[in-house]
Amino acid sequence: MGIFRRVILPVTWLVVFAIIAVALVKIAFVDGLKPSDSGPAPLAQVDIPVVPATRATVTNTVEIKGTVQSDAGDPVRSTSAGKVIKVFVEQGAAVAKGDALFQVKAERAVTATQPSKDGMSSTPKPVFDYFDILAPSGGTLQSLTTLIDQQVSVGESVGKIDPGTYTVAGSVTAAQQYRLLGKPGPAEIALVGGPAPFQCTEVTLKNNASDDGGGGSGGLSSTGGGAGMGVGGAVAIPGGGGGQSQEGGTPTGTLSCAIPAGHEVFAGLGATMTVSAGVAADVVTVPLTSVKGSVKDGIVWIAGAAGSGAAPEQRTVQLGLNDGALVEVVSGLAEGEQVLEFVPGAPAVPGPMMGPGQAVYGPAG
């Protein structure tokens, strides 16, 4: 028993540790230097999405949310100075343009004295002129503040006429204004809870920075009966489907249209204006997500040949109409050419129903 504990057991442990040491040396310095067999090929490969330039018809319609507003009253101003002697109409009465509202008596200035038959000068009798103050426009006399024997002066505001007409107006963003550069055509008005949609031809687009009511460089207007055929810009978020005002961005202008007579509306009623700004038939198109740019000029990335590993080629193109999803390419790109579906480095635009980590890419620039 003493020999087993003093000799055999220690020798056995030494043999065990020696075997372990040899195995570790083999793993580290022998098997580790052998070339390893290639592992299994990946089951999936991530490719950059590309789309071909295709022919399609682009209908540029912009949909804008608006509100029905009462048109501002027309002020009644006295065109003569003098004393009011007659008032022809009462407040609330219906008047037509040119109707007499009240009458003013004005004394005519006489400077020279007239000699009498006996040679003595006499003071001339006063001479009075009578002037009717006319309605500047038709409508309902909303207010008239004149009183009998009241003195009025030229240009003095003494009342207001309500025209009884309405206008639907809504804010537009810069992207929508670019799409309406070709001057807006007639608009289709759909009233919330109202009658069937109807056409409105007197469409006016005004820049918020313009003070001339859209008549200068800051505004565009159209009273024609056809859609404008000018070239709009390619600025919109994909999926806009007609450029709703909810696209985002600060309002830069106002689109308005006078509601034709015969339609029953009231102030404060919600409405949707669908404005046509041109149609481009059978033209080369690409998705808006493939283009970087805003108006007229844009940039696309031409995909390299499949499997070549070549970097995409950047190319400048001329843009035309867009419908919120597709944009017309006027020149610089041929039908069938492959372009990147998304602009490289474009910021992600999160969708309203997407969870964390999910996003849709929008056009850059």
Side-chain angles (χ1 to χ4, degrees):
M1 189 66 179
I3 295 174
F4 176 79
R5 294 177 62 183
R6 291 194 303 270
V7 179
I8 297 176
L9 188 58
V11 171
T12 302
W13 282 111
L14 289 175
V15 172
V16 172
F17 287 127
I19 292 172
I20 294 174
V22 171
L24 292 174
V25 170
K26 181 176 182 299
I27 293 173
F29 298 103
V30 178
D31 294 341
L33 297 178
K34 292 181 180 180
S36 59
D37 296 334
S38 59
L43 299 179
Q45 184 177 0
V46 178
D47 293 327
I48 299 177
V50 297
V51 292
T54 58
R55 288 193 171 273
T57 296
V58 179
T59 302
N60 183 17
T61 55
V62 181
E63 194 173 276
I64 299 168
K65 301 296 182 182
T67 306
V68 176
Q69 304 170 358
S70 298
D71 290 339
D74 199 1
V76 177
R77 301 184 185 278
S78 177
T79 55
S80 300
K83 183 170 68 174
V84 178
I85 60 172
K86 289 182 181 180
V87 177
F88 300 115
V89 293
E90 299 292 334
Q91 182 174 323
V95 296
K97 183 178 180 179
D99 286 354
L101 302 180
F102 60 94
Q103 190 178 75
V104 172
K105 181 177 72 172
E107 183 176 354
R108 186 183 304 176
V110 179
T111 56
T113 58
Q114 297 178 356
S116 61
K117 293 181 179 180
D118 56 1
M120 301 293 292
S121 62
S122 61
T123 302
K125 294 181 179 181
V127 179
F128 295 96
D129 293 320
Y130 297 85
F131 303 96
D132 288 341
I133 308 304
L134 309 180
S137 60
T140 301
L141 188 60
Q142 188 174 6
S143 64
L144 186 63
T145 60
T146 55
L147 302 173
I148 300 298
D149 293 334
Q150 176 184 343
Q151 291 288 335
V152 293
S153 58
V154 176
E156 180 180 349
S157 179
V158 294
K160 182 178 292 185
I161 295 178
D162 181 6
T165 56
Y166 297 87
T167 297
V168 58
S171 298
V172 295
T173 64
Q176 292 170 331
Q177 281 195 273
Y178 280 129
R179 292 182 61 187
L180 295 171
L181 280 180
K183 293 189 177 181
E188 182 182 79
I189 309 298
L191 301 174
V192 177
F198 56 88
Q199 288 289 315
C200 182
T201 58
E202 298 182 6
V203 179
T204 301
L205 177 61
K206 177 183 176 182
N207 194 312
N208 287 347
S210 174
D211 294 327
D212 57 5
S217 61
L220 298 171
S221 64
S222 172
T223 57
M229 297 301 292
V231 176
V235 183
I237 298 299
Q244 276 115 21
S245 58
Q246 288 78 13
E247 283 179 357
T250 303
T252 58
T254 301
L255 188 79
S256 61
C257 187
I259 294 180
H263 296 281
E264 294 293 335
V265 298
F266 54 87
L269 189 65
T272 300
M273 294 181 286
T274 303
V275 186
S276 174
V279 177
D282 193 29
V283 294
V284 177
T285 64
V286 294
L288 274 173
T289 54
S290 301
V291 183
K292 180 179 181 180
S294 55
V295 182
K296 297 184 180 179
D297 296 327
I299 299 174
V300 297
W301 278 259
I302 308 299
S308 65
E313 171 197 349
Q314 181 175 312
R315 185 184 299 178
T316 300
V317 294
Q318 298 295 312
L319 304 176
L321 300 178
N322 80 78
D323 61 5
L326 296 176
V327 59
E328 174 193 3
V329 180
V330 179
S331 63
L333 191 66
E335 180 183 2
E337 287 193 271
Q338 301 284 330
V339 299
L340 299 190
E341 185 176 2
F342 300 104
V343 172
V349 181
M353 301 300 292
M354 294 184 176
Q358 296 178 313
V360 176
Y361 287 87

